[in-house]
């Protein structure tokens, strides 16, 4: 038994430290069912235990990888064989909800969905929402600065975090559990932990910003002939729905076809249209909101902006429309798939998607390149499925990332860099920016023990 594991067991208790088959029995991640490889798995119950754990690992020069719900898309939480896993799964309490201040104080291992449900029970909304809601954790959402489907109205996770508590690599606890919207007393230290993918500290508790819960919800799936029409509709709906538009999800034809074909979903309308948009508005006046939503869609139909539209008549019909957009697993099953998450100006998006699809088709005529995204946020996702055993991730990366240079795009809109995109960070960040990132990393984690090999190139 190595010294570090003996020390961890002594400090945290036998049941908090697992090794061997108990670790291998766990899947590597949401995306990879292979057994987890790691030196040990540690599951503390509170911040004090996280602090003791990290102090011990620091003293033993033991690298640590932090895990939340393991739904991250860039393999940042995937452990190496010599790493010790710090799982937040036992730290899943919702400690307090303050209805007056509209805040929730939670432990970082709680799932996003549990927080959404708890806020709803107080007639409030926690506005972050994404397909992995049932599994991803608030700590992971903070670490990745998660985006999702409501960003156009409420912002990314960064906009929903008021304060947090984190443990640094040497075990120091930084408690910055601010509950106010305004607090300019010195540096805003929580920002060091948001979107830095666990490389600067372990997030243990978070104060979240809640919003009034909307009581109306109107959705529609519409079909459109051109991307210009898509952006025109977005502008009109943002203006005409009086700020209630909360989601505007675009699916290129290939996505809709695949989802309603091998993806296993029922097609609510013809599958021949170049673009499909799933839009949703949420407000405070059910009758008035529904009438305004329907009226604006009718006007768009009459103006020829939309060529077809389906408005769900029940909650189950609404969920079925969302399932087409969110439940894409069947589309991926049995096919080698490279998943991308880029951002770029909306004005450059149509040409970008066309260029990447053309390059993929030229390279892998038997494959497909599926495009969809949260375009109001400048965010496009792509599934590249080469359909060829010879295709490599690097080939596909080169095709997807090359055209971004011409339009000031980013290799990551919301998933982060993890291990998968390290080689591409310098496409989206200057040398001076990366140097400053390194300086921060060296200052907070001089031994490079927290999530080593993630985000920053060696
Ligand atoms: C079906 C599906 C849909 C998705 N949709 C979206 C989407 O719309 N928008 C979006 O942004 N993402 C999306 N994702 C990606 C993923 O859900 C998010 O990145 C999520 O925030 C990750 O949370 P997690 O708890 O699973 O983190 P993990 O995967 O466990 O970890 C992700 C990273 O955060 C670090 N980390 C985790 N917890 C902590 C902590 N407490 N302290 C410090 N570091 C920590 C890990 O080390 C790792 O680097 C989707 C994923 C799936 C599977």
């Amino acid at each position: 038994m190595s010294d570090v594991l003996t020390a961890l067991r002594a400090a945290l208790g036998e049941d908090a430290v697992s090794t061997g088959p108990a670790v291998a029995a766990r899947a590597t991640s949401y995306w990879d069912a292979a057994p987890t490889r790691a030196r040990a798995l540690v599951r503390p119950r509170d911040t004090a235990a996280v602090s003791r754990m990290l102090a011990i690992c620091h003293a033993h020069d033991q690298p640590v990888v932090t895990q939340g719900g393991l739904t991250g898309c860039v393999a940042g939480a995937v452990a190496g064989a010599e790493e010790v896993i710090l799982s937040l799964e036992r730290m899943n309490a919702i400690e307090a909800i303050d209805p007056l201040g509209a805040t929730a104080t939670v432990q970082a291992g709680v799932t996003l969905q549990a927080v959404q449900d708890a806020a709803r029970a107080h007639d409030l909304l926690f506005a972050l929402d994404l397909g992995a809601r049932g599994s991803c954790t608030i700590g992971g959402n903070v670490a990745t600065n998660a985006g999702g489907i409501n960003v156009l109205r409420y912002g990314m996770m960064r906009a929903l975090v008021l304060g947090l508590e984190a443990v640094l690599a040497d075990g120091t606890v930084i408690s910055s559990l601010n509950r106010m919207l305004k607090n300019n007393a010195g540096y805003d230290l929580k920002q060091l932990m948001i979107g830095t993918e666990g490389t600067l500290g372990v997030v243990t508790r978070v104060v979240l910003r809640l919003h009034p819960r909307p009581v109306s919800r109107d959705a529609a799936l519409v079909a459109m002939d051109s991307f210009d029409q898509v952006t025109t509709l977005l502008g009109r709906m943002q203006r005409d729905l009086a700020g209630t538009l909360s989601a505007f999800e675009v699916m290129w034809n290939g996505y809709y076809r695949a989802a309603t074909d091998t993806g296993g979903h029922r097609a609510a309308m013809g599958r021949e249209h170049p673009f499909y948009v799933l839009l949703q508005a949420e407000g405070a006046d059910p009758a008035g909101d529904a009438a305004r939503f329907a009226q604006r869609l009718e006007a768009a139909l009459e103006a020829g902006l939309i060529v077809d539209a389906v408005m769900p008549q029940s909650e189950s019909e609404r969920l079925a429309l969302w399932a087409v957009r969110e439940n894409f697993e069947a589309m991926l099953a049995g096919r080698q798939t490279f998943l991308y998450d880029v951002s770029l100006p909306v004005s450059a998006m149509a040409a970008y998607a066309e260029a990447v699809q053309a390059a993929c088709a030229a390279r892998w005529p038997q494959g497909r390149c599926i495009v969809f995204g949260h375009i109001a946020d400048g965010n496009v996702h792509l599934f590249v499925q080469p359909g060829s055993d010879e295709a490599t991730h690097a080939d596909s990366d080169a095709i997807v990332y090359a055209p971004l240079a011409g339009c000031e795009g980013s290799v990551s809109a919301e998933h982060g860099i993890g291990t998968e995109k390290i080689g591409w960070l310098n496409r989206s960040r200057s040398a001076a920016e990366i140097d400053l990132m390194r300086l921060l990393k060296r200052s907070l984690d001089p031994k490079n023990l927290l999530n080593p090999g993630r985000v920053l190139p060696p």
Side-chain angles (χ1 to χ4, degrees), residues 324-341:
V324 172
R325 167 61 185 82
E326 289 193 325
N327 302 347
F328 44 67
E329 286 78 2
M331 262 194 254
L332 314 184
R335 292 170 183 257
Q336 182 187 37
T337 304
F338 303 120
L339 163 64
Y340 296 95
D341 155 53

Side-chain angles (χ1 to χ4, degrees), residues 30-31 65-73 76-77 88 108 129-132 135-149 156 197-199 201-204 325-326 328-329 374 381 414-415 451 454:
Y30 175 91
W31 305 98
V65 59
T66 304
Q67 293 188 345
L70 285 169
T71 65
C73 299
L88 275 291
D129 199 15
L130 48 105
S135 308
C136 66
T137 63
I138 291 298
N141 299 153
V142 171
T144 59
N145 186 27
I149 55 181
M156 297 179 77
E197 299 183 52
T199 56
V202 176
V203 178
T204 46
R325 167 61 185 82
E326 289 193 325
F328 44 67
E329 286 78 2
H374 324 282
H381 294 305
E414 54 181 17
H415 294 164
N451 282 7
R454 280 81 172 173

Side-chain angles (χ1 to χ4, degrees), residues 3-274:
D3 284 352
V4 65
L5 299 190
T6 308
L8 287 170
R9 287 200 164 102
L12 284 93
E14 288 286 328
D15 86 312
V17 183
S18 312
T19 53
V23 177
R26 300 162 73 100
T28 292
S29 75
Y30 175 91
W31 305 98
D32 183 356
T36 291
R37 294 177 324 137
R39 199 161 173 200
L41 168 80
V42 181
R43 292 179 293 162
R45 291 191 185 277
D46 56 25
T47 304
V50 173
S51 169
R52 285 199 298 280
M53 172 189 171
L54 291 186
I56 289 167
C57 290
H58 195 256
H60 288 80
D61 294 336
Q62 171 60 53
V64 174
V65 59
T66 304
Q67 293 188 345
L70 285 169
T71 65
C73 299
V74 287
V78 172
E82 294 307 316
E83 291 175 335
V84 166
I85 295 170
L86 193 181
S87 168
L88 275 291
E89 68 191 42
R90 286 178 171 171
M91 292 179 57
N92 59 2
I94 294 174
E95 296 180 348
I97 297 220
D98 171 6
L100 186 62
T103 65
T105 305
V106 305
Q107 284 185 311
V110 68
T111 64
L112 169 57
Q113 190 161 8
V115 174
Q116 291 173 335
D117 291 347
R120 195 174 305 119
H122 287 81
D123 214 17
L124 290 163
L125 170 79
F126 180 56
L128 187 80
D129 199 15
L130 48 105
R133 60 183 77 77
S135 308
C136 66
T137 63
I138 291 298
N141 299 153
V142 171
T144 59
N145 186 27
I149 55 181
N150 290 336
V151 172
L152 79 102
R153 180 152 170 202
Y154 298 100
M156 297 179 77
M157 187 64 173
R158 192 183 300 284
L160 301 172
V161 177
L162 294 175
L164 55 74
E165 176 186 82
V167 183
L168 303 183
D170 65 359
T172 304
V173 178
I174 302 292
S175 195
S176 196
L177 289 164
N178 168 68
R179 290 166 58 195
M180 289 84 70
L181 206 51
K182 290 184 170 177
N183 185 348
N184 278 351
Y187 295 178
D188 186 1
L189 295 173
K190 68 176 180 286
Q191 304 296 351
L192 288 172
M193 301 296 153
I194 304 175
T196 47
E197 299 183 52
T199 56
L200 300 183
V202 176
V203 178
T204 46
R205 295 164 72 210
V206 187
V207 182
L208 300 165
R209 181 180 182 191
L210 306 178
H211 285 88
R213 189 173 72 84
V215 288
S216 74
R217 183 182 272 155
D218 299 288
L221 177 71
V222 303
M224 313 188 75
D225 279 336
S226 74
F227 195 77
D228 277 350
Q229 291 178 332
V230 171
T231 54
T232 304
L233 181 71
L234 171 62
R236 283 198 192 176
M237 289 300 182
Q238 280 181 307
R239 185 192 63 201
D240 295 349
L241 293 178
T244 62
L245 184 68
S246 54
F248 193 88
E249 297 293 306
V250 181
M251 295 165 272
W252 272 245
N253 175 274
Y255 183 99
Y256 194 71
R257 268 184 188 279
T260 54
D261 175 8
T262 50
H265 299 289
R266 192 181 71 80
M269 60 174 64
R271 300 165 71 230
E272 69 280 13
H273 306 291

